[in-house]
Amino acid sequence: MRAATTAIALLFLSGAVACTPGTSSNETTDTAPQAEASSEPALDPAKEAETARLNAWFETKYQEAISRSPMRATFLGSRENYDKWDDVSYAAWDAEMEIQRANVAEMRELFDPEALTAQGQLSFRLAEYELERDEISNKWRGYNYTFSQMRGAHAGVASFLIGQHKVTSKADAEAYISRLAGVSTYLGQHLENAKASAERGIRPPLFVYDFVIEGAGNVIDGYPFEGVGPESPSPLYADFISKTDALVTNGTITQDEADELNFEARGALLDHVYPTYFDLITWVYEDKANATSDDGAWKHEGGAEYYNDRLSLMTTTDMSADEIHQLGLAEVDRIHGEMRAIMAQVGFEGTLQDFFDFTRTDPQFFKPNTDEGKAEYLAEATEMIDTMRDALPSVFNTFPKAEMVVKAVEPFREKAAGKAFYQRPAPDGSRPGVYYANLYRMEDMPLYQMEALAYHEGIPGHHMQLAISQELTGIPKFRKYGGFTAYTEGWGLYSEFLPKEMGFYSDPYSDFGRLAMELWRAARLVVDTGLHEKKWTREEAIDYLLTNTPNPEGDCRKAIERYIVMPGQATAYKIGMLKILELREDARERLGDAFDIRDFHDVILKDGPVPLQILEENVEAWITAK
């Protein structure tokens, strides 16, 4: 799901979900240190005043952007334009780019970077950087597939309404109905964008089409569609009636009012949602005849340049595809060596590939594929995060206030969704951060990876980084909610490694799981560049993962299919992690006894997301100041 105001990571409105039952104890106390932007050596009243003026200007532009993006407003917990969708037409995209260019020009005219504090200068610089990268994205508009198994409004409509549109009043329910009616325009615009790309020859590979058809069909499967009764409701109708039932239960509305609302929702589903999804499915089915089995970005006009730009955007470095490929091969070899040491530790006899087969298939490594097995997985993952929370003060000074819960990916999207992901909390505290575990196939969720997954998506991973970022004070919102994949996912992967140093992964198989996940990210460097630069086929890439990682075939196949439709994104994780480790060890060596890992983590987290080059500069400034 990408609106015009979010697809290009707008300067004053950037950031999204990374790339995630009930409430839990996953929260810090009210006495947790408040996150603040990194402090400066000395205060200059004139610079402080000018930076405050800049931040006020940023806030004005941010609110203007929010007013143009009803969906982003909803995501941030606002009820502004609660009955509307974003305008995702190319005309709206063009208008937003013009606004962004004008905003940066105005900023340069109104403010002198030399008159700002260090934080003000960083905000100024990041604003310019955002425009630069969005100009690159705009250059390749249409190259990111509008509909795929990983993303697209066909699934995004349902996940947005179910997960983001809260109903606490009759007016909220009426806004939900208006949004159901608006699906015809919103999804219709996405369809027009996909058609425009197809006319230029930009289509996803053949295998993607059936995923999209199935995913779209799932949304209109059940009552009031398909001739079934209310006992088998479709995902959106089930969600709506559950929300109106809750209003009746708490006395907000009467049962008669709920019945009327439910009837109106039923009408909107039949009159607007169904025909629009039918049109989408029909077009995708017809366009399937034009698709090929060529998988890489190289197949498009200008594909090599497009992929290089994608690598630059994702990694925030100037590394070439071949450099990334060779780095991946070297890291795979290193991690294989560490895995062989674990094989010796547990007394396994055979080759590394034999050990991989053993960990893929032995029943001891999996929960049963039942409701009970899935519930046990969620409970144990939650317990791991709770245990980690108690240990955090040994390595962190600053903690998020926002709560965090663990949930299974919803049935309507679990088949196509990734292995695990995180959704940041609402800024106003109305919605916790969520670590989503995909339990569709329990054989794809081995227990030896449970610990590392929980640390990556939860604590000290994405929840620490993203929640702290949006709780920062003294910086503009576009930085709080911004995102750089190499920074965010690099931190997530670093957060898998850090617990090893803290004494976690006491079970050798759990430590093997940590290595398996790091190996997975190293292998991504190989297969992503293999697919998009070296013209590997889908099957060649899958075979590479099957041979060199312990992940099951379903995992490998789904991953390669993801990398195919999201060129370059998968390379950011390992490159970001390696940079954080490089900076940490350089600081440790240069500072000696003065090095404190808690302070280092503050430097990494307390300016919000930044490109890796700026992160390196921040650490260098901290070392110099120490």
Side-chain angles (χ1 to χ4, degrees):
M1 173 180 61
R2 284 184 178 260
T5 50
T6 56
I8 53 177
L10 283 175
L11 169 58
F12 306 114
L13 189 59
S14 59
V17 175
C19 278
T20 165
T23 58
S24 75
S25 60
N26 295 345
E27 60 196 84
T28 56
T29 65
D30 289 339
T31 58
Q34 175 66 43
E36 299 176 357
S38 296
S39 58
E40 301 182 21
L43 297 179
D44 181 324
K47 289 187 175 182
E48 292 287 334
E50 188 66 358
T51 299
R53 189 171 76 89
L54 174 66
N55 286 344
W57 182 84
F58 276 132
E59 178 65 19
T60 297
K61 300 301 180 184
Y62 181 84
Q63 294 302 328
E64 290 174 356
I66 287 289
S67 69
R68 298 190 301 273
S69 178
M71 295 171 69
R72 178 58 56 181
T74 298
F75 184 79
L76 295 174
S78 169
R79 295 299 204 271
E80 183 178 1
N81 293 319
Y82 208 44
D83 59 342
K84 295 179 175 61
W85 298 95
D86 287 1
D87 184 343
V88 296
S89 65
Y90 278 177
W93 181 308
D94 289 337
E96 289 293 344
M97 281 304 306
E98 287 302 317
I99 290 171
Q100 189 171 357
R101 294 176 186 123
N103 284 343
V104 171
E106 182 180 328
M107 178 185 72
R108 289 168 174 161
E109 182 179 349
L110 293 177
F111 301 96
D112 176 6
E114 295 302 316
L116 303 169
T117 64
Q119 279 298 324
Q121 290 174 357
L122 179 56
S123 297
F124 191 103
R125 184 178 177 188
L126 287 173
E128 293 181 316
Y129 186 95
E130 287 278 15
L131 177 59
E132 291 170 5
R133 74 172 184 171
D134 290 346
E135 292 286 14
I136 295 173
S137 295
N138 191 48
K139 174 182 177 181
W140 301 108
R141 177 167 59 186
Y143 276 64
N144 290 342
Y145 305 132
T146 305
F147 299 107
S148 74
Q149 79 282 12
M150 294 302 302
R151 58 191 176 191
H154 63 294
V157 163
S159 61
F160 177 81
L161 287 171
I162 293 171
Q164 305 298 326
H165 190 109
K166 304 302 179 186
V167 175
T168 59
S169 67
K170 184 178 181 181
D172 291 347
E174 291 169 340
Y176 192 122
I177 295 169
S178 293
R179 276 181 160 158
L180 289 176
V183 165
S184 55
T185 298
Y186 175 66
L187 185 57
Q189 289 176 335
H190 280 286
L191 179 54
E192 289 305 311
N193 295 344
K195 290 178 179 178
S197 292
E199 289 174 2
R200 299 165 60 193
I202 302 169
R203 291 182 174 87
L206 180 62
F207 75 86
V208 173
Y209 282 72
D210 286 342
F211 280 120
V212 175
I213 291 169
E214 181 179 8
N218 288 341
V219 177
I220 54 174
D221 181 25
Y223 186 83
F225 318 117
E226 303 299 329
V228 298
E231 69 280 0
S232 301
S234 63
L236 285 171
Y237 190 68
D239 178 61
F240 187 82
I241 61 175
S242 71
K243 288 172 177 176
T244 55
D245 284 349
L247 295 183
V248 173
T249 300
N250 64 29
T252 302
I253 62 175
T254 66
Q255 185 60 57
D256 287 344
E257 289 175 310
D259 291 342
E260 182 178 352
L261 289 168
N262 294 343
F263 181 79
E264 292 176 3
R266 176 181 177 276
L269 287 165
L270 290 171
D271 295 341
H272 299 281
V273 175
Y274 183 82
T276 308
Y277 271 82
F278 183 83
D279 288 346
L280 169 64
I281 293 169
T282 300
W283 179 79
V284 173
Y285 181 81
E286 292 173 349
D287 193 60
K288 180 180 175 180
N290 301 313
T292 71
S293 295
D294 291 336
D295 297 306
W298 54 266
K299 69 179 180 178
H300 301 311
E301 182 180 356
E305 184 183 359
Y306 164 63
Y307 184 56
N308 286 335
D309 281 345
R310 286 289 298 171
L311 291 176
S312 175
L313 290 172
M314 292 296 104
T315 68
T316 64
T317 73
D318 58 1
M319 292 181 70
S320 70
D322 191 62
E323 287 173 329
I324 292 171
H325 191 83
Q326 295 304 319
L327 173 63
L329 292 172
E331 283 293 287
V332 167
D333 286 344
R334 176 187 64 80
I335 297 168
H336 279 174
E338 294 188 31
M339 287 180 157
R340 290 187 178 95
I342 290 180
M343 285 172 56
Q345 182 182 355
V346 300
F348 184 88
E349 296 182 0
T351 66
L352 184 59
Q353 280 67 36
D354 291 336
F355 192 56
F356 288 169
D357 287 338
F358 168 65
T359 59
R360 285 184 186 124
T361 58
D362 195 285
Q364 68 175 301
F365 299 124
F366 304 93
K367 294 284 186 186
N369 198 37
T370 62
D371 289 344
E372 292 77 14
K374 295 176 181 182
E376 288 177 8
Y377 188 101
L378 295 175
E380 291 175 22
T382 299
E383 184 179 356
M384 288 175 174
I385 290 171
D386 289 343
T387 301
M388 171 58 71
R389 181 180 294 101
D390 293 337
L392 288 180
S394 66
V395 289
F396 288 94
N397 294 320
T398 307
F399 313 95
K401 289 187 174 183
E403 298 179 21
M404 200 210 84
V405 298
V406 183
K407 289 184 178 181
V409 177
E410 303 93 339
F412 75 88
R413 58 172 174 161
E414 65 182 356
K415 187 174 181 180
K419 189 183 188 78
F421 51 94
Y422 174 79
Q423 177 180 288
R424 70 166 79 210
D428 62 1
S430 62
R431 186 183 65 249
V434 182
Y435 156 33
Y436 280 104
N438 193 339
L439 306 182
Y440 175 67
R441 285 168 44 94
M442 296 305 291
E443 55 266 42
D444 289 343
M445 297 292 281
L447 298 179
Y448 53 77
Q449 290 185 353
M450 183 191 293
E451 200 172 354
L453 264 180
Y455 301 150
H456 179 111
E457 303 296 347
I459 294 172
H462 288 322
H463 183 65
M464 285 283 288
Q465 185 264 316
L466 291 169
I468 286 175
S469 175
Q470 69 183 36
E471 292 168 8
L472 289 172
T473 59
I475 66 172
K477 288 190 176 72
F478 85 90
R479 285 176 55 188
K480 293 184 182 185
Y481 305 117
F484 297 93
T485 305
Y487 171 91
T488 302
E489 296 299 351
W491 175 261
L493 188 50
Y494 171 77
S495 297
E496 296 174 20
F497 174 75
L498 178 65
K500 171 70 173 176
E501 301 175 311
M502 298 168 65
F504 290 85
Y505 304 111
S506 57
D507 179 83
Y509 284 113
S510 190
D511 197 29
F512 169 78
R514 173 189 67 82
L515 285 171
M517 291 182 59
E518 185 180 4
L519 176 64
W520 190 246
R521 278 41 170 264
R524 284 176 172 178
L525 303 182
V526 179
V527 296
D528 196 279
T529 51
L531 285 162
H532 297 293
E533 196 264 344
K534 299 183 182 299
K535 299 186 179 180
W536 288 14
T537 67
R538 176 175 165 227
E539 293 305 320
E540 284 177 317
I542 292 170
D543 287 344
Y544 181 87
L545 291 185
L546 283 171
T547 302
N548 290 283
T549 78
N551 292 61
E553 181 176 357
D555 228 2
C556 295
R557 188 168 297 277
K558 181 178 288 187
I560 294 303
E561 290 168 349
R562 165 189 166 183
Y563 309 154
I564 287 171
V565 300
M566 301 172 67
Q569 192 269 352
T571 65
Y573 297 64
K574 197 72 172 69
I575 290 171
M577 176 209 188
L578 290 174
K579 174 56 69 173
I580 292 172
L581 283 173
E582 172 194 321
L583 296 176
R584 192 188 74 173
E585 295 316 300
D586 180 58
R588 191 193 302 273
E589 180 179 347
R590 291 165 62 187
L591 292 176
D593 292 341
F595 177 82
D596 188 325
I597 195 169
R598 293 168 295 186
D599 294 340
F600 173 80
H601 289 154
D602 275 350
V603 175
I604 300 297
L605 294 176
K606 292 180 68 178
D607 283 321
V610 293
L612 296 184
Q613 177 188 348
I614 292 178
L615 185 67
E616 184 170 359
E617 293 172 8
N618 290 348
V619 173
E620 180 63 31
W622 171 68
I623 293 172
T624 302
K626 293 280 281 189

